[in-house]
């Protein structure tokens, strides 16, 4: 609970302010951690995307480039004993929760040092030791699983919280409403984090939901607290998460955060859609969102707070070295032995 304790000591306001207003009283140590987190996630994924065409990673990948602030902001506010569940676009959440960088890279290369021993690939990550329980390509599944964890925490009378990340299309599945209703009735400590990037694969909201649909309004019909957050503002996400955690730990029931964000790359793979000739969204739309880059915004905040450019560059250089070391180690890691093919199958 180290981060939580730091928050309590600082008197950091748990209000509904924007990122800028929250930052005014944000301890410098936390702001630095948030920036390093979004930068580390961004550079890890960009490095993996650049290496993916080598065809050595034999796993589908769903890159979350552009959505880093949601993972870093939420996970940066959690306590050590909280647990996190994720979906197919999961690298961000795994790293933000403290998962091993080598474990991620080696997993994509299918090597024994991968976090799932090279058997899960990009979409099946796990890091139980850091509270990242699992990610799954079966969208909606982990909402139910997180709700189950929250029920266990409540029955155990422990102040732990379960977090589930999912995309806005998952709000079109029955399991979302079943879990939401159950959590509301039982007042469970589950934080539902919707990463609304506007598209389900290549289908925009306009062809999937009636005009004027408001996800937060839907959720409020279940008597659940729901807020829309700028998902490209890591400080705003962090502040809203802290407020949610107070409610959750006080036994006041689940909280839904709708984080508005945008994925830069294609649905699956390392390319940009316009480069691949896809027409479901155009480059002008991408450019508008790239102007709101969460990494650049976080970097501007850290510099505005008084941190010197040379210090920021030293952090970035250290992170780049860490990534290159992890890639080299992953490529040198052994393959799982054939005789273990049927191990851990249930």
């Amino acid at each position: 609970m180290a981060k939580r304790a730091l928050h309590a000591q600082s008197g950091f306001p748990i209000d509904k302010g924007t990122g800028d207003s929250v930052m005014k009283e944000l301890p410098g140590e936390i702001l630095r951690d948030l920036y390093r987190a979004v930068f580390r996630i961004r550079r890890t994924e960009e490095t993996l995307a650049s290496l993916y065409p080598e065809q050595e990673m034999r796993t589908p990948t769903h890159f979350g480039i552009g959505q880093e602030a949601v993972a870093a902001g939420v996970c940066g506010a959690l306590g050590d004993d909280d647990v996190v569940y994720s979906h197919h676009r999961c690298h961000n959440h795994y790293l933000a929760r403290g998962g091993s960088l080598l474990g991620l890279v080696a997993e994509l290369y299918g090597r024994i040092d991968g976090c799932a021993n090279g058997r899960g690939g990009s979409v099946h990550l796990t890091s139980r030791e850091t509270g990242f329980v699992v990610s799954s390509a079966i969208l909606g599944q982990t909402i139910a699983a997180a709700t189950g964890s929250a029920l266990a925490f409540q029955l155990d009378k422990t102040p732990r919280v379960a977090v589930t990340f999912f995309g806005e299309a998952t709000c079109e599945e029955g399991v979302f409403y079943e879990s939401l209703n159950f959590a509301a009735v039982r007042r469970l400590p589950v934080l539902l984090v919707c990463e609304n990037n506007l598209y389900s694969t290549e289908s925009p909201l306009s062809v999937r939901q009636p005009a004027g649909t408001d996800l937060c309004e839907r959720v409020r019909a279940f008597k659940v607290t729901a807020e829309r957050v700028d998902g490209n503002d890591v400080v705003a996400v962090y502040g809203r998460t802290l407020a949610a955690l107070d409610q959750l730990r006080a036994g006041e029931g689940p909280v839904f955060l709708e984080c508005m964000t945008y994925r830069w790359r294609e649905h699956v793979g390392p390319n940009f859609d316009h480069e691949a000739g896809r027409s479901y969204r155009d480059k002008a739309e991408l450019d508008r969102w790239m102007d709101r880059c969460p990494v650049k915004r976080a970097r501007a905040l850290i510099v505005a707070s008084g941190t010197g450019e040379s210090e920021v560059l030293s952090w970035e250089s250290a992170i780049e070295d860490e990534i290159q070391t992890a890639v080299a180690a992953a490529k040198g890691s052994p393959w799982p032995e054939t005789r273990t093919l049927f191990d851990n199958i249930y």
Side-chain angles (χ1 to χ4, degrees):
M1 299 287 183
K3 290 174 180 173
R4 185 61 185 161
L6 182 60
H7 151 67
Q9 291 168 5
S10 72
F12 174 59
I14 303 174
D15 60 17
K16 303 296 188 295
T18 65
D20 287 342
S21 66
V22 169
M23 197 197 76
K24 290 179 181 176
E25 299 186 46
L26 187 66
E29 179 184 344
I30 292 178
L31 184 57
R32 290 192 289 273
D33 286 346
L34 292 175
Y35 174 66
R36 285 191 287 247
V38 293
F39 181 82
R40 184 169 180 261
I41 294 169
R42 168 67 60 84
R43 290 300 304 142
T44 297
E45 287 219 297
E46 286 188 335
T47 301
L48 293 173
S50 70
L51 295 171
Y52 196 76
E54 295 178 350
Q55 294 291 306
E56 292 188 40
M57 293 178 234
R58 310 302 292 180
T59 172
T61 55
H62 302 70
F63 290 106
I65 296 170
Q67 302 186 187
E68 299 87 353
V70 181
V74 171
C75 292
L78 298 179
D80 295 339
D81 293 332
D82 299 327
V83 296
V84 170
Y85 292 82
S86 181
H87 50 88
H88 57 295
R89 205 174 308 282
C90 53
H91 306 167
N92 294 0
H93 314 126
Y94 168 91
L95 290 174
R97 189 55 184 156
S100 159
L101 183 56
L102 173 59
L104 169 64
V105 180
E107 190 60 38
L108 269 62
Y109 278 97
R111 306 306 173 96
I112 194 68
D113 286 326
C115 61
N117 300 129
R119 295 170 178 274
S122 168
V123 298
H124 296 119
L125 305 180
T126 183
S127 175
R128 295 288 185 97
E129 67 278 10
T130 64
F132 184 91
V133 181
V134 74
S135 59
S136 173
I138 308 300
L139 303 182
Q141 172 194 19
T142 52
I143 296 177
T147 302
S149 286
L151 175 62
F153 298 157
Q154 185 185 68
L155 293 174
D156 288 342
K157 302 185 187 308
T158 177
R160 301 171 70 186
V161 168
V163 180
T164 174
F165 291 95
F166 51 91
E168 86 287 347
T170 306
C171 299
E172 297 159 14
E173 297 191 25
V175 66
F176 171 74
Y177 296 98
E178 293 162 356
S179 300
L180 183 66
N181 186 67
F182 183 76
V185 170
R186 296 294 298 256
R187 302 174 74 81
L188 299 181
V190 57
L191 176 60
L192 302 122
V193 183
C194 173
E195 296 176 290
N196 189 343
N197 64 14
L198 311 179
Y199 291 92
S200 173
T201 309
E202 297 185 6
S203 298
L205 284 166
S206 60
V207 302
R208 294 162 27 219
Q209 298 181 14
T213 292
D214 186 324
L215 292 179
C216 287
E217 285 301 317
R218 285 188 185 180
V219 171
R220 290 180 189 125
F222 288 79
K223 310 304 179 187
V224 169
T225 299
E227 294 183 13
R228 177 174 287 179
V229 186
D230 181 348
N232 281 16
D233 183 340
V234 67
V235 175
V237 174
Y238 178 82
R240 297 294 174 85
T241 303
L242 282 181
L245 291 174
D246 272 4
Q247 175 175 326
L248 291 158
R249 298 193 204 285
E252 297 175 5
V255 175
F256 174 86
L257 294 181
E258 182 186 14
C259 301
M260 305 306 297
T261 186
Y262 196 82
R263 63 172 162 82
W264 291 8
R265 308 280 178 135
E266 59 190 330
H267 173 64
V268 185
N271 301 309
F272 290 98
D273 286 308
H274 63 276
E275 294 176 343
R278 299 189 181 91
S279 59
Y280 73 96
R281 60 182 190 177
D282 58 30
K283 187 173 183 302
E285 180 177 296
L286 170 64
D287 288 342
R288 288 195 295 274
W289 279 94
M290 291 180 81
D291 286 341
R292 303 175 60 194
C293 173
V295 178
K296 289 182 179 177
R297 292 171 69 179
R299 197 180 198 282
L301 290 176
I302 196 76
V303 172
S305 74
T307 302
E309 182 74 17
S310 60
E311 186 174 2
V312 177
L313 289 172
S314 70
W315 301 339
E316 294 171 349
S317 177
I319 289 170
E320 296 284 3
D321 289 345
E322 179 192 11
I323 294 169
Q324 293 305 319
T325 299
V327 170
K331 287 187 173 184
S333 174
W335 299 100
E337 294 187 24
T338 304
R339 63 179 177 78
T340 67
L341 183 62
F342 295 107
D343 288 356
N344 304 313
I345 295 176
Y346 302 97

